[in-house]
Amino acid sequence: MLRYLQEDEWLIIEEGLDRENQKKSESLFSLGNGHMGMRANFEETYSGPSLRGLYLAGIYYPDKTRVGWWKNGYPEYFAKVLNAPNWIGMKLVFNGSELDLEQMKVDTFCRTLNMKEGILNREFVASWPDGKRIRVETERFLSMERREIGAIRYSATPLNFSGILEASLFIEGNVFNEDSNYDETFWEPVSQAVIDDYCILHTRTGKSNFDICMAMHTECSLSNDHTSVSHDQILREKYVSDHYNINFLAGDKIRFTKIVSVTTSRDYPKEYLEEQSIKRLREATTAGYRKLREEQVLSWEKKWRTGDIIIEGDISAQQGIRFNIFQLNQTYTGHDPLLNIGPKGFTGEKYGGSTYWDTEAFCLPFYMSTGGKEVARNLLLYRYRQLDKAIENAQKLGFNNGAALFPMVTMNGEECHNEWEITFEEIHRNGAIAFAIYNYIRHTGDEQYLAEYGLEVLIAISRFWSQRFTFSDPLQKFVILGVTGPNEYENNVNNNWYTNYIAAWTLFWTLDCIELIRDKYNLDWKLILEKTNFNPDPETSRWFTILNHLHLPSDEKSGIFLQQDGYLDKEQQLVTDLLPAERPINQHWSWDRILRSCFIKQADVLQGLYLFEENFEKEVIKRNFDFYEPRTVHESSLSPCVHAILASRLGYSELAYELYLRTSRLDLDDYNHEIQEGCHITSMAGTWLALVEGFGGMRIIGDHLHFNPCLPIKWKSLTFTVHFRNTIISININQSGIRIHAGGIEEIELFINGKGYKIKSGTEITINH
């Protein structure tokens, strides 16, 4: 754990420049607006350690897969979110000395991310070896109101010298990815031009042929009216610049304003891209920097109004959850059903910016409860639009008759992950997508989605499960062989309990959905039969047979579900038996040693008990938690949140709190020693779950919300808001009771500690312990 940032309810603050932490801070202070995002690189030149990154949603490159030896079914490429042309760049040369903090003595330095307003600030005073000193103040943001606009205000004040400043404010297209497999050049030049005093850079990706256009407008103002300024523009391949020559006096404040529009061929025809970029930029520059900033503050105020979580009495916990919520809202806004959520969002290159099962298993509840029905619906439509690709993926692996295997990693529906134990075996992702449809419908009541889209997906997934189960003569049961469960420290196992359970649950729930749609939505049912060529009686008869003869590994003596067949054959050790110097084991042990050990990367059996809690007695959940949690090393960012929720529900309040802090401050405190690669965006949604479903005790049973709160002792109160059906519900939990306010169009019934209460719209109730 590393703590070098100050604790504050709304701010992330770094005092002093520690070059060893620079890449970490570039991740932590990242900005995004759903359309684009950037690491917190300096605007001016910095020759020290840095991972420069600007990323555009949905823009990727099919980098050729690098593997030691090929297997049938491997994808041809691994999709990479691209480091896009750098539009924040500034080169500032004062009297022949370039501003570069790596080459200077930094006297004072403060970087601040204002999460309440979505604005990044930086201030420093630095000096060159010859004694010249300068003060710099910067501010930048990516507009949440105008998603194609970014803005910078940069002020420099020479403190003890006069002279000439040569300033180049540029867009640079000669960029690369640190994780490129074959050092390919991703960007090709299309054009660079000056139109109406706007600098324009138009580039295109190789292979995937996405076009992007960036248009830039800059201004320079000075505190001294007598200072002379000359200005021209420079164009060369993949580079445009506004170049200023300024004669300044000591004490003059030189201020640059840079506004940029970023448009892509995902949104506009290529032939109109430059026109649209200029149009967006002209609208922004007409509004002006101050107006853009005011819009930014108001837009974030609106998001926080229904998305904030307030913790009284614990500033560390408060900062942690707000940082998580802030990054989630920067990453995905729900406006575009063709977009999804990468595990690193816009904060780094790792995992290629692709979609994983994290979205359905962890992220959907956050966006559904804070953003509302349409945001969540678009996340599901993302998968529906890729159903044909999922069927193709299954066909490549030998499945037929419309069976679908959704990819483990994807940009466009094609599988683009090349580790066999993940690509071919971590098939539980299909179950997460089915559960997401179920979760959405029980939250929103939107049966029409099931009729129009959802059931078609469920049938395709169920066809896959039906074919993936095989019958074991010795067991006289249906089994699933050769899989990797959520615990990726076990590969190629037989009968992973979680996989078998969620596969069977999918068959069972699909049967329920078939009955519902056939009875209530007859026209949609006929269309589904036609589109899927589904023959219910012969196909579902096998599903019933599987459900009636299902193998779920368990141990009668201990009363636990076995993570997989033979799990107890392993030498049983606890995490407390590990030497601290050996942690994390994935950085100190051989893979062979990890596979032979009993240690668990993240929730596996417990993942199933969390999702399907209502199907198990509390004592069963407790026995399994008590067995598996001490064997879990939590070396996945997705692990602590599930354990925190279950610990809360079981009354293990101290453990729940410890795990909550770990998940909420995973990045801020760099628990996994990898924050320089980017933030763990999808696990941040798990932090929200740990609070709302853990300490808030929220769950859905039938058609009703239930709350069984369990507040940490040191907290005075916990306040959050959730969208449920047609109602926005605000919940305040304190040590003496719970207060709930309902705002919507109708009365709602919910349950507190098992007792039902009806709340009219616009009213609130208070229940004391």
Side-chain angles (χ1 to χ4, degrees):
M1 184 174 76
L2 172 68
R3 283 205 176 184
Y4 70 96
L5 304 172
Q6 296 184 16
E7 292 186 349
D8 186 277
E9 291 187 355
W10 282 107
L11 306 175
I12 308 298
I13 305 169
E14 178 186 15
E15 285 281 3
L17 177 62
D18 183 343
R19 293 171 176 85
E20 293 298 316
N21 291 331
Q22 176 62 8
K23 284 189 176 182
K24 297 179 176 66
S25 293
E26 287 176 346
S27 298
L28 293 168
F29 289 82
S30 293
L31 294 177
N33 66 359
H35 174 68
M36 59 180 164
M38 61 174 63
R39 290 170 60 82
N41 309 118
F42 297 159
E43 291 87 355
E44 73 278 356
T45 300
Y46 183 67
S47 58
S50 177
L51 173 58
R52 184 163 291 281
L54 169 70
Y55 312 107
L56 307 179
I59 304 297
Y60 68 93
Y61 181 87
D63 203 9
K64 184 171 174 57
T65 295
R66 182 188 287 274
V67 292
W69 50 292
W70 202 262
K71 297 180 179 68
N72 288 335
Y74 265 165
E76 294 291 328
Y77 68 90
F78 185 80
K80 299 283 178 66
V81 62
L82 292 186
N83 186 3
N86 169 30
W87 61 258
I88 69 170
M90 298 184 183
K91 182 176 181 180
L92 305 173
V93 181
F94 293 83
N95 292 349
S97 298
E98 186 170 5
L99 181 59
D100 178 355
L101 291 185
E102 177 67 8
Q103 308 300 324
M104 301 170 70
K105 179 179 179 294
V106 179
D107 301 321
T108 64
F109 180 95
C110 182
R111 176 164 26 194
T112 304
L113 178 61
N114 186 327
M115 298 183 289
K116 193 172 187 178
E117 300 179 347
I119 295 174
L120 175 62
N121 294 96
R122 186 165 54 102
E123 299 179 16
F124 64 84
V125 175
S127 55
W128 285 274
D130 62 4
K132 297 194 300 290
R133 298 180 73 238
I134 189 167
R135 176 187 293 115
V136 171
E137 301 161 276
T138 75
E139 178 178 275
R140 76 172 183 245
F141 59 90
L142 298 180
S143 175
M144 296 294 286
E145 191 70 21
R146 308 173 191 234
R147 67 192 192 100
E148 292 161 326
I149 297 297
I152 300 171
R153 180 151 280 178
Y154 191 103
S155 299
T157 306
L159 297 177
N160 62 351
F161 66 101
S162 303
I164 297 175
L165 166 61
E166 292 185 70
S168 295
L169 282 60
F170 60 84
I171 304 174
E172 168 66 69
N174 190 25
V175 294
F176 60 90
N177 270 45
E178 191 176 73
D179 68 348
S180 170
N181 279 342
Y182 292 92
D183 298 323
E184 293 185 77
T185 300
F186 295 150
W187 294 100
E188 300 170 355
V190 176
S191 65
Q192 46 275 326
V194 176
I195 301 176
D196 297 337
D197 203 37
Y198 298 152
C199 287
I200 296 173
L201 182 66
H202 186 168
T203 54
R204 177 173 298 146
T205 63
K207 295 184 181 179
S208 49
N209 289 316
F210 291 107
D211 279 30
I212 69 163
C213 183
M214 296 182 175
M216 171 181 71
H217 175 73
T218 70
E219 294 178 357
C220 177
S221 62
L222 302 107
S223 58
N224 184 346
D225 293 336
H226 300 290
T227 303
S228 64
V229 179
S230 63
H231 169 232
D232 60 358
Q233 290 160 321
I234 298 172
L235 306 178
R236 58 176 183 264
E237 186 174 276
K238 293 196 285 188
Y239 179 91
V240 295
S241 171
D242 272 337
H243 187 79
Y244 293 88
N245 279 280
I246 304 166
N247 292 301
F248 63 85
L249 299 175
D252 286 350
K253 176 179 278 193
I254 307 161
R255 186 171 73 184
F256 297 104
T257 301
K258 186 176 187 180
I259 300 175
V260 176
S261 64
V262 181
T263 57
T264 81
S265 57
R266 291 190 64 258
D267 301 302
Y268 307 105
K270 293 181 180 180
E271 61 269 27
Y272 299 117
L273 198 56
E274 294 182 12
E275 175 186 322
Q276 289 297 325
S277 202
I278 292 172
K279 180 181 179 181
R280 299 289 168 257
L281 181 59
R282 182 176 288 114
E283 291 169 350
T285 55
T286 299
Y289 184 89
R290 180 173 295 183
K291 175 65 174 176
L292 296 175
R293 192 185 191 285
E294 289 172 355
E295 291 175 352
Q296 178 78 347
V297 172
L298 290 173
S299 184
W300 272 104
E301 181 185 341
K302 183 179 179 181
K303 283 192 173 294
W304 287 114
R305 198 176 300 144
T306 57
D308 192 17
I309 290 182
I310 302 170
I311 298 171
E312 284 191 291
D314 191 341
I315 192 171
S316 183
Q318 178 68 85
Q319 184 184 44
I321 186 56
R322 281 196 174 130
F323 178 71
N324 284 251
I325 294 171
F326 176 74
Q327 291 290 356
L328 286 162
N329 281 322
Q330 288 198 127
T331 301
Y332 182 78
T333 60
H335 298 313
D336 188 344
L338 298 180
L339 294 178
N340 210 277
I341 303 141
K344 295 294 183 184
F346 297 118
T347 69
E349 299 171 7
K350 192 175 181 182
Y351 303 119
S354 304
T355 301
Y356 284 63
W357 73 292
D358 306 19
T359 292
E360 285 75 24
F362 296 91
C363 297
L364 180 74
F366 167 80
Y367 291 105
M368 186 159 50
S369 294
T370 63
K373 175 180 171 181
E374 292 307 315
V375 174
R377 206 172 200 261
N378 278 344
L379 283 174
L380 296 184
L381 285 172
Y382 175 87
R383 293 294 193 179
Y384 175 78
R385 286 184 167 90
Q386 296 179 354
L387 179 57
D388 288 345
K389 292 286 188 182
I391 293 172
E392 288 179 21
N393 291 337
Q395 288 174 342
K396 291 175 183 177
L397 301 183
F399 298 88
N400 54 43
N401 191 35
L405 176 60
F406 282 89
M408 185 64 186
V409 178
T410 193
M411 281 288 191
N412 63 359
E414 295 177 298
E415 178 64 73
C416 60
H417 193 284
N418 56 26
E419 297 175 16
W420 66 269
E421 68 273 17
I422 305 298
T423 307
F424 302 153
E425 295 197 341
E426 204 162 333
I427 56 176
H428 64 82
R429 68 229 192 206
N430 252 14
I433 291 168
F435 185 83
I437 298 171
Y438 164 76
N439 209 10
Y440 168 78
I441 291 169
R442 66 176 181 165
H443 266 87
T444 65
D446 185 8
E447 289 182 354
Q448 191 62 46
Y449 177 83
L450 187 65
E452 293 180 5
Y453 308 106
L455 183 54
E456 191 178 339
V457 174
L458 291 172
I459 289 172
I461 291 175
S462 293
R463 283 170 160 170
F464 172 83
W465 288 130
S466 178
Q467 295 175 43
R468 192 62 169 80
F469 274 107
T470 56
F471 188 73
S472 165
D473 281 331
L475 290 174
Q476 288 293 294
K477 298 280 188 180
F478 280 92
V479 298
I480 299 181
L481 307 177
V483 301
T484 297
N487 172 27
E488 293 170 338
Y489 287 175
E490 297 273 11
N491 302 148
N492 200 35
V493 302
N494 294 333
N495 295 306
N496 171 258
W497 184 89
Y498 173 76
T499 302
N500 285 20
Y501 191 93
I502 202 167
W505 173 86
T506 303
L507 294 176
F508 181 84
W509 191 58
T510 303
L511 289 167
D512 279 354
C513 292
I514 287 171
E515 185 176 344
L516 172 70
I517 301 306
R518 185 175 53 203
D519 293 347
K520 289 183 63 175
Y521 301 89
N522 190 254
L523 291 178
D524 291 291
W525 172 242
K526 290 179 180 179
L527 184 60
I528 289 169
L529 292 177
E530 181 181 335
K531 290 178 69 176
T532 63
N533 197 27
F534 184 56
N535 195 343
D537 290 338
E539 288 199 54
T540 60
S541 64
R542 176 173 168 84
W543 301 2
F544 281 112
T545 303
I546 291 169
L547 291 172
N548 289 328
H549 300 85
L550 175 67
H551 175 54
L552 290 171
S554 63
D555 180 67
E556 291 184 10
K557 182 178 179 181
S558 61
I560 64 165
F561 302 122
L562 292 181
Q563 185 174 267
Q564 70 268 347
D565 287 348
Y567 178 78
L568 290 181
D569 293 339
K570 294 170 175 285
E571 180 184 359
Q572 293 300 311
Q573 296 177 288
L574 304 182
V575 173
T576 52
D577 297 328
L578 290 170
L579 296 174
E582 294 182 324
R583 303 287 306 278
I585 61 173
N586 63 16
Q587 296 179 20
H588 294 89
W589 284 14
S590 68
W591 192 243
D592 169 71
R593 187 180 179 187
I594 290 174
L595 291 176
R596 288 187 286 108
S597 79
C598 70
F599 294 117
I600 299 168
K601 182 183 179 186
Q602 67 189 81
D604 197 304
V605 168
L606 299 184
Q607 180 78 25
L609 296 178
Y610 156 62
L611 293 179
F612 303 105
E613 178 189 8
E614 66 273 15
N615 296 344
F616 302 96
E617 297 292 334
K618 186 174 182 179
E619 183 55 37
V620 173
I621 297 173
K622 182 179 184 300
R623 269 200 310 272
N624 280 274
F625 185 89
D626 290 347
F627 180 82
Y628 284 110
E629 203 287 326
R631 291 162 171 79
T632 304
V633 290
H634 296 297
E635 289 173 12
S636 164
S637 64
L638 297 172
S639 186
C641 60
V642 172
H643 290 78
I645 295 167
L646 291 176
S648 293
R649 294 178 178 179
L650 293 172
Y652 298 150
S653 56
E654 289 186 15
L655 177 59
Y657 178 72
E658 174 190 328
L659 289 166
Y660 164 74
L661 275 188
R662 178 170 180 138
T663 186
S664 69
R665 299 191 64 87
L666 179 73
D667 291 326
L668 289 175
D669 297 339
D670 197 16
Y671 273 90
N672 288 359
H673 309 294
E674 59 185 14
I675 185 56
Q676 68 278 1
E677 298 172 341
C679 296
H680 297 82
I681 301 298
T682 51
S683 76
M684 290 177 170
T687 302
W688 185 90
L689 291 171
L691 275 173
V692 174
E693 297 188 6
F695 301 130
M698 186 185 84
R699 66 198 67 168
I700 300 171
I701 301 175
D703 290 327
H704 297 101
L705 274 182
H706 287 243
F707 295 94
N708 297 283
C710 175
L711 207 62
I713 293 174
K714 70 181 296 184
W715 292 4
K716 295 179 181 178
S717 69
L718 169 67
T719 304
F720 58 90
T721 302
V722 294
H723 293 245
F724 183 74
R725 304 294 169 100
N726 296 312
T727 305
I728 299 177
I729 304 166
S730 299
I731 301 98
N732 174 266
I733 303 164
N734 55 49
Q735 296 296 347
S736 60
I738 182 171
R739 185 175 70 252
I740 297 181
H741 178 274
I745 60 175
E746 55 194 35
E747 183 179 74
I748 187 170
E749 183 179 14
L750 46 77
F751 290 78
I752 313 297
N753 296 321
K755 183 177 180 181
Y757 297 88
K758 292 184 178 180
I759 311 176
K760 293 182 179 179
S761 176
T763 66
E764 69 178 37
I765 61 171
T766 300
I767 300 102
N768 295 319
H769 293 317

